[in-house]
Amino acid sequence: MMGNRPLIALRDITQQYRSGSTRIKALGDVTLDIHAGEFVAIMGPSGSGKTTLMNIIGCLDRPSRGEYYYADQLVHESNPNVRARLRREEFGFVFQTYNLLPMATAQENVEMPAIYAGLRKRLRWARAEELLAGLGLSHRVGHYPSELSGGEQQRVAIARALMNGGGVLLADEPTGSVDSRSGSEIMAQLAALSERGRTIIVVSHDPSIARHAERRIELLDGRIMADTGSVSRSRISTAPEPEISPPRTQAPVLPLAENVRTALRSLRHNKFRTSLTLLGIVIGVFSVTAMLGLAEGVRREILDAISQLGGASITVLPALGEQRTLLTLDDAEAIRRRIPNLVSVTPEMSGGATLIAGARTESAQVTATTGRAMKDRGLALRQGVFFGKKHSERYAPVVILGGLLADNLFDQHVNPVGEHILLNDVPYQVIGVLKRSEARFAAFDLRARSVYVPLMTGAARLFRRDNLDMIGVMVSEGDQVRTAQEAIEALLRQRHGNAAFQIINQAEVRDVENNIRRILTLLLGGIGGISLVVAGIGVMNIMLASVAERTREIGLRMATGARPMDIRLQFVCEAVVVCVLGGAAGLLLLVGLGSVINSFGVTLVAFTTPILLTGLSCATLTGLVFGSAPAQRAADMPPVRALAAH
């Protein structure tokens, strides 16, 4: 009880609106006191300013000029969060058009103010059921507004206004959309609430409403023309306090679970639009993840291809340029004899050749090497044997075929081992075939398309030269690679003077591989990212349309206590939810399609956990980024304008 001090105090309140170049004065210098427990009817014809006055009292609108105090608290200069707290904790609204959410049940509509007050779900559900039961709607708690009569919908609106136990109930034409019988019942319920101590302010142009009120204020052209005055102090002092259910504290940010639930409800309400939005996100996430997976697969293949330069820790190559010095077999022998801590030294030659088996002809890369070098590189045989020392010493005309090359030259039922082929028109016997599983896809499958011959066979019979294309060196300990490289450089300078050679160690190979990976990831990821950006723009357009379509809902949520932050988070959450759902669907589609492709033995995309998580993260980020602008637009709406939208 406030004693003689008014609960609501308005001093010289003026409200003006701009319509084009014209200013319209809706209220002019209104001064008014309303005490706790009063039942007040604000009367007047349409355009008299009564609804504008109610909006200012209920903190739905700000006055252009004047002062407003609620329980001695300054209101007219308060920030949006303070005004939202007053709407949430002190005021309850009953609108002529009910303003119920069509996709929510009666119980869910009633509990809305308690959500923004931070009341636990179990408690607010019990509170909503209790209020509906008290208004004779216990049998309608699970029904949607479209399933309720006008009188029942208005009673749901009254229950919602009472949800947080606020002491002031504001009703704008509460009987204007119902029949006379329902109107009488509604006014009787408002009178009963007044008897229990609530302050009731009813706005109407209907004179019959005035009979229920204890005080009548008449407006005309934005000014108070008549006021019957406050009821006696004895009436107010004996009025009981209204029951208050939720604690009167600053409402927390709407919990994530509530935002997600609201988002899913909205998405279900617009299934066709949601499906189109999801499709865009599915395509975008599919593209990004597929491109990143393809980059990873290509990176692995290139690394495998680089390893063919020598599985050894050090690779020695002739320098590029016209004045290059050639590597020889003597150089390889000198490295073997004079450099310590080496596991093996493998000289190699290579060149192109034409292979003929029966009526089939293939072009291939021929490498002259040793069987041990092939084993050191991790090459595995599908059939046959590797070269031995005697094969090289006797210049034996034998070959080992890559798996893909062997399959192209011979029928499936023919065992290539033991068969003869023509290599540059010279017969060679096949003694081994490599496994095809060494390579992931044909574009980089160098080993599967190669031919291997013994080192001296290649030098004497095939290439007819003793200069080498490379020397591969295996070092016994990884930390000795740098020392061995410096010793090889010194030895080659001693043998060839200041001639330059290319010497590559494993660390340098890894650097090359890392650069390739970065370039491929940026290139292919950027290509996929374009699709995701396009999908994000689609999400933003859909969310902007949703904000425009749900303007009245936004105004209603603000009227029941939602802060701008709550509205902003709600719409951002909706954008994130639709993007995460689309992203998950895109990843499932990609994994399923990739598994089908991989079942044919060709791994085009490397699926890794980081890549899949990156795809889902991109979807989430898309929702956050492209949902922010529509969410901010919704949060910036003035409550009174949002409620007036059609």
Side-chain angles (χ1 to χ4, degrees):
M1 293 289 91
M2 299 295 298
N4 292 326
R5 302 186 67 85
L7 177 65
I8 296 170
L10 305 178
R11 299 290 180 264
D12 300 321
I13 293 295
T14 297
Q15 183 66 295
Q16 294 181 339
Y17 299 108
R18 181 179 293 276
S19 177
S21 59
T22 305
R23 281 190 173 274
I24 300 174
K25 180 179 288 188
L27 291 175
D29 299 321
V30 172
T31 296
L32 176 65
D33 289 341
I34 298 176
H35 291 81
E38 285 194 279
F39 190 163
V40 180
I42 300 177
M43 311 299 294
S46 297
S48 61
K50 56 186 184 297
T51 299
T52 301
L53 180 60
M54 188 199 76
N55 290 335
I56 291 175
I57 292 174
C59 297
L60 293 175
D61 201 2
R62 288 175 177 269
S64 303
R65 190 175 67 247
E67 298 177 349
Y68 172 25
Y69 298 89
Y70 181 86
D72 289 335
Q73 179 181 355
L74 187 68
V75 176
H76 56 278
E77 294 180 354
S78 59
N79 62 52
N81 288 338
V82 171
R83 299 167 69 81
R85 180 186 62 79
L86 289 172
R87 293 193 297 268
R88 181 172 60 248
E89 298 179 357
E90 304 296 341
F91 299 108
F93 295 90
V94 180
F95 302 97
Q96 177 181 358
T97 54
Y98 322 130
N99 279 346
L100 301 180
L101 296 182
M103 69 281 259
T105 64
Q107 184 178 33
E108 290 169 337
N109 270 285
V110 172
E111 71 168 338
M112 187 193 312
I115 294 176
Y116 295 109
L119 194 64
R120 293 180 180 177
K121 183 176 181 179
R122 179 176 57 83
L123 296 177
R124 67 174 185 260
W125 276 44
R127 169 76 171 163
E129 288 181 351
E130 176 187 354
L131 289 170
L132 288 170
L135 293 170
L137 294 175
S138 58
H139 62 297
R140 308 292 269 173
V141 293
H143 288 69
Y144 291 91
S146 59
E147 300 169 336
L148 303 175
S149 67
E152 288 174 333
Q153 291 187 59
Q154 194 64 290
R155 279 184 279 168
V156 171
I158 293 174
R160 181 182 61 199
L162 301 175
M163 184 66 193
N164 282 355
V168 180
L169 193 148
L170 300 165
D172 186 6
E173 301 284 4
T175 64
S177 298
V178 298
D179 56 54
S180 58
R181 178 180 177 182
S182 297
S184 298
E185 292 177 353
I186 290 170
M187 291 309 301
Q189 289 164 346
L190 293 178
L193 291 171
S194 175
E195 290 297 326
R196 293 200 294 269
R198 279 190 168 80
T199 303
I200 308 296
I201 302 175
V202 178
V203 170
S204 180
H205 67 278
D206 185 357
S208 64
I209 298 296
R211 293 197 297 268
H212 297 272
E214 298 165 333
R215 179 183 179 187
R216 291 173 293 281
I217 300 172
E218 295 184 13
L219 290 182
L220 183 64
D221 296 332
R223 296 181 181 274
I224 296 178
M225 305 304 295
D227 184 352
T228 60
S230 300
V231 297
S232 65
R233 297 267 56 80
S234 60
R235 160 68 179 81
I236 296 176
S237 62
T238 59
E241 287 281 358
E243 66 275 12
I244 303 297
S245 178
R248 295 197 168 206
T249 57
Q250 181 69 27
V253 174
L254 196 62
L256 178 61
E258 292 296 337
N259 275 319
V260 171
R261 189 162 70 97
T262 301
L264 292 175
R265 178 189 295 159
S266 175
L267 296 178
R268 289 195 301 268
H269 188 66
N270 298 280
K271 295 179 181 178
F272 181 71
R273 186 171 66 190
T274 299
S275 300
L276 294 179
T277 308
L278 284 173
L279 179 61
I281 295 297
V282 167
I283 295 173
V285 172
F286 181 94
S287 300
V288 168
T289 311
M291 291 298 100
L292 293 177
L294 181 60
E296 177 65 16
V298 171
R299 181 194 70 83
R300 293 181 181 182
E301 286 302 326
I302 292 178
L303 183 59
D304 287 344
I306 291 175
S307 69
Q308 295 185 54
L309 296 175
S313 298
I314 299 174
T315 301
V316 183
L317 301 169
L320 300 177
E322 297 181 357
Q323 303 298 324
R324 64 177 184 169
T325 300
L326 302 179
L327 290 172
T328 65
L329 289 170
D330 291 339
D331 291 327
E333 185 62 26
I335 292 172
R336 178 183 294 109
R337 287 186 291 102
R338 299 176 58 177
I339 306 299
N341 301 318
L342 301 184
V343 175
S344 65
V345 177
T346 306
E348 282 192 6
M349 304 176 185
S350 61
T354 300
L355 285 70
I356 300 175
R360 301 181 182 181
T361 302
E362 291 283 337
S363 297
Q365 177 80 7
V366 181
T367 299
T369 185
T370 64
R372 178 173 180 178
M374 296 178 71
K375 293 177 184 178
D376 290 340
R377 293 180 189 173
L379 297 177
L381 288 172
R382 186 173 76 191
Q383 297 167 294
V385 297
F386 283 111
F387 304 129
K389 187 176 182 180
K390 291 184 179 180
H391 287 112
S392 186
E393 291 176 347
R394 297 175 181 176
Y395 309 102
V398 295
V399 297
I400 296 176
L401 299 177
L404 179 61
L405 189 60
D407 292 342
N408 290 341
L409 288 172
F410 296 95
D411 291 331
Q412 186 175 1
H413 63 276
V414 175
N415 184 357
V417 176
E419 297 292 330
H420 285 78
I421 64 171
L422 294 179
L423 185 60
N424 287 350
D425 297 326
V426 177
Y428 281 74
Q429 185 181 26
V430 179
I431 65 169
V433 178
L434 296 177
K435 289 183 178 180
R436 284 190 60 178
S437 58
E438 292 295 330
R440 291 180 177 81
F441 53 92
F444 294 94
D445 196 354
L446 301 182
R447 290 173 292 194
R449 292 177 174 274
S450 296
V451 181
Y452 299 86
V453 298
L455 179 62
M456 297 311 297
T457 300
R461 289 177 174 268
L462 193 59
F463 303 120
R464 301 180 187 276
R465 57 183 171 87
D466 61 358
N467 62 291
L468 306 173
D469 294 302
M470 61 158 286
I471 300 174
V473 180
M474 289 286 291
V475 184
S476 58
E477 298 292 340
D479 57 358
Q480 296 175 347
V481 171
R482 188 62 186 174
T483 301
Q485 179 177 344
E486 293 174 353
I488 292 171
E489 290 174 346
L491 176 61
L492 292 177
R493 282 196 300 270
Q494 180 183 349
R495 291 178 57 82
H496 298 281
N498 292 325
F501 294 90
Q502 296 183 72
I503 301 180
I504 305 172
N505 61 39
Q506 290 287 17
E508 293 169 338
V509 172
R510 284 194 296 272
D511 289 341
V512 172
E513 181 270 327
N514 287 332
N515 289 333
I516 292 173
R517 178 181 59 185
R518 283 193 294 268
I519 293 172
L520 286 175
T521 301
L522 290 174
L523 178 61
L524 297 179
I527 294 173
I530 293 174
S531 299
L532 194 59
V533 170
V534 172
I537 294 173
V539 170
M540 183 168 64
N541 288 335
I542 292 296
M543 291 304 300
L544 287 171
S546 179
V547 168
E549 181 182 281
R550 297 161 60 190
T551 300
R552 286 181 67 86
E553 176 191 337
I554 295 168
L556 174 60
R557 292 184 180 278
M558 289 181 173
T560 54
R563 294 173 294 176
M565 179 185 296
D566 296 319
I567 300 298
R568 183 163 50 248
L569 289 179
Q570 175 187 332
F571 281 91
V572 168
C573 185
E574 289 188 19
V576 171
V577 166
V578 72
C579 288
V580 169
L581 290 176
L587 293 179
L588 289 175
L589 177 62
L590 177 63
V591 171
L593 183 60
S595 298
V596 171
I597 295 175
N598 294 346
S599 66
F600 293 98
V602 181
T603 306
L604 292 175
V605 182
F607 296 112
T608 64
T609 299
I611 287 176
L612 296 178
L613 290 177
T614 298
L616 196 59
S617 299
C618 286
T620 304
L621 186 61
T622 299
L624 288 172
V625 172
F626 290 95
S628 295
Q632 189 61 47
R633 173 175 290 188
D636 290 340
M637 287 185 181
V640 67
R641 294 184 184 177
L643 284 169
H646 295 287

